[in-house]
Amino acid sequence: MPQLIFKGVKKNDVKEISNSLPYRLAEISDTPVDYFTIEVPETMYFFDGKEFEMYPLIEVIQFDRGVEIEEKMAKEIQNHVKKFDYSECEVYFTHIEKENYYE
Amino acid sequence: MPQLIFKGVKKNDVKEISNSLPYRLAEISDTPVDYFTIEVPETMYFFDGKEFEMYPLIEVIQFDRGVEIEEKMAKEIQNHVKKFDYSECEVYFTHIEKENYYE
Amino acid sequence: MPQLIFKGVKKNDVKEISNSLPYRLAEISDTPVDYFTIEVPETMYFFDGKEFEMYPLIEVIQFDRGVEIEEKMAKEIQNHVKKFDYSECEVYFTHIEKENYYE
């Protein structure tokens, strides 16, 4: 945690993104870099009865870091994704409460 | 967003469902139809030490649209799923706050 | 529901875990055992430009059962996982409100 879950971004693009994104997010959020995980689930999308090529949609699951920091994190993620061949990129944050987390 | 994530429903059934469900939900919730995404993750379930055939379980991730509208959305989803060979269908809503969403 | 979603645990280990874990959690939380589902999504992790072997990370999605019960559930899950060859195990709870759930 933070967990970044990438949908609609090609596996090879995420692989490349994983070279620098966690380091930048670690700086922005003052969090150890090895806390970050970058996940690409196997998944398919459908629309109008056929497969649909999903646009980049990234979920970040983490403790609430406040809107100011998260806005910077979102922008950093979007910048990384848009270096590849995507015209849009949605990012949203899901917050876990500390009392609901056990390690 | 809204994202619909289908588990326990066969890929081909979801494919067919994707022909009409987004249009009906768009009407019910007064939301542009192309905001809806329908996802089928690759996933397995286990119980009692063996693979388990999951029943339909659909998560809807969206901004809170109020219980009245969401109840209608849930019923519409369930009706679409039950046209196929499933006896039950669970639907639940996860809400994203607007301030936690970046496009 | 409760849904247990296992990441970073081998499919065969989860299969074995599924023999006893739901029964123990059912006792702890006073919930019928067949309400529990154990899921293993197909997913990959990346770090530093290469595939990353994820550590065990288990999400539990359920109605809020209070910290006291959930702490016991988390410990039980961790004990089950650590019987296998893992040195750590993170567990977190995501709560669904009853009014957002339709069956």
Side-chain angles (χ1 to χ4, degrees):
Chain A
M1 197 98 53
Q3 300 179 57
L4 281 72
I5 305 179
F6 280 73
K7 294 174 179 173
V9 184
K10 286 190 197 73
K11 219 176 270 177
N12 270 334
D13 297 341
V14 179
K15 211 183 204 177
E16 265 197 69
I17 286 168
S18 81
N19 273 309
S20 55
L21 182 59
Y23 295 91
R24 288 289 304 126
L25 296 179
E27 273 181 71
I28 290 168
S29 63
D30 197 20
T31 304
V33 68
D34 60 349
Y35 283 21
F36 289 85
T37 57
I38 293 189
E39 181 183 354
V40 185
E42 286 295 337
T43 195
M44 291 181 79
Y45 286 85
F46 295 101
F47 203 86
D48 277 344
K50 48 184 188 290
E51 207 181 328
F52 171 74
E53 190 168 344
M54 186 56 183
Y55 52 82
L57 174 69
I58 291 99
E59 181 181 15
V60 183
I61 304 173
Q62 67 179 12
F63 300 136
D64 195 343
R65 279 160 165 83
V67 169
E68 209 186 332
I69 285 176
E70 293 190 344
E71 198 178 345
K72 286 182 196 157
M73 293 179 72
K75 186 151 286 179
E76 191 66 40
I77 295 168
Q78 288 170 329
N79 288 344
H80 268 77
V81 169
K82 287 181 178 171
K83 278 182 207 159
F84 295 86
D85 203 16
Y86 306 100
S87 56
E88 52 174 333
C89 178
E90 295 181 14
V91 176
Y92 66 98
F93 291 83
T94 306
H95 295 132
I96 302 297
E97 305 289 327
K98 286 200 178 168
E99 63 166 22
N100 295 326
Y101 175 78
Y102 301 85
E103 58 180 350
Chain B
M1 197 95 55
Q3 300 179 57
L4 280 73
I5 305 179
F6 280 73
K7 293 174 179 174
V9 183
K10 287 190 195 74
K11 219 176 271 177
N12 271 333
D13 297 342
V14 180
K15 210 183 205 178
E16 264 197 68
I17 286 169
S18 81
N19 274 308
S20 55
L21 182 59
Y23 295 91
R24 288 291 302 128
L25 296 179
E27 272 181 72
I28 291 168
S29 63
D30 197 21
T31 304
V33 67
D34 60 349
Y35 283 21
F36 289 85
T37 58
I38 292 188
E39 181 183 355
V40 186
E42 284 295 337
T43 195
M44 290 181 80
Y45 286 85
F46 295 100
F47 203 85
D48 279 343
K50 48 184 190 289
E51 206 181 328
F52 171 74
E53 189 169 342
M54 185 56 182
Y55 52 82
L57 175 68
I58 290 99
E59 181 182 15
V60 183
I61 305 174
Q62 67 179 12
F63 300 136
D64 194 343
R65 280 161 164 82
V67 169
E68 209 186 334
I69 285 176
E70 293 189 344
E71 199 179 342
K72 286 182 196 158
M73 292 178 72
K75 187 150 285 180
E76 190 66 38
I77 294 167
Q78 289 171 328
N79 287 345
H80 268 78
V81 169
K82 287 182 177 170
K83 279 183 205 157
F84 294 87
D85 203 16
Y86 306 100
S87 57
E88 53 174 333
C89 178
E90 295 182 14
V91 176
Y92 67 98
F93 292 83
T94 306
H95 295 132
I96 302 296
E97 305 290 327
K98 286 201 175 165
E99 63 166 22
N100 295 325
Y101 175 79
Y102 301 86
E103 58 180 351
Chain C
M1 196 98 53
Q3 300 178 56
L4 280 73
I5 304 179
F6 279 73
K7 293 173 180 174
V9 184
K10 287 190 197 74
K11 219 176 271 178
N12 270 333
D13 298 342
V14 179
K15 210 183 203 177
E16 264 196 69
I17 286 168
S18 81
N19 273 309
S20 56
L21 182 59
Y23 295 91
R24 289 290 303 125
L25 296 179
E27 272 181 71
I28 290 168
S29 63
D30 196 21
T31 304
V33 69
D34 60 348
Y35 283 21
F36 289 85
T37 58
I38 292 189
E39 181 183 352
V40 185
E42 284 295 337
T43 195
M44 290 182 81
Y45 286 85
F46 295 100
F47 202 86
D48 279 342
K50 49 184 188 291
E51 207 181 329
F52 171 74
E53 190 168 343
M54 185 56 184
Y55 51 83
L57 175 69
I58 291 100
E59 181 181 14
V60 183
I61 304 174
Q62 66 179 12
F63 300 136
D64 194 343
R65 280 160 164 82
V67 169
E68 209 186 333
I69 285 176
E70 293 189 343
E71 200 179 344
K72 287 182 196 157
M73 293 179 73
K75 186 150 286 179
E76 190 67 38
I77 294 167
Q78 289 171 328
N79 288 345
H80 268 78
V81 169
K82 286 180 177 171
K83 279 183 205 157
F84 294 86
D85 203 16
Y86 306 100
S87 58
E88 53 174 334
C89 178
E90 295 181 14
V91 176
Y92 66 98
F93 291 83
T94 305
H95 296 132
I96 303 295
E97 304 291 327
K98 287 200 178 169
E99 62 165 23
N100 295 325
Y101 174 78
Y102 301 86
E103 57 181 351

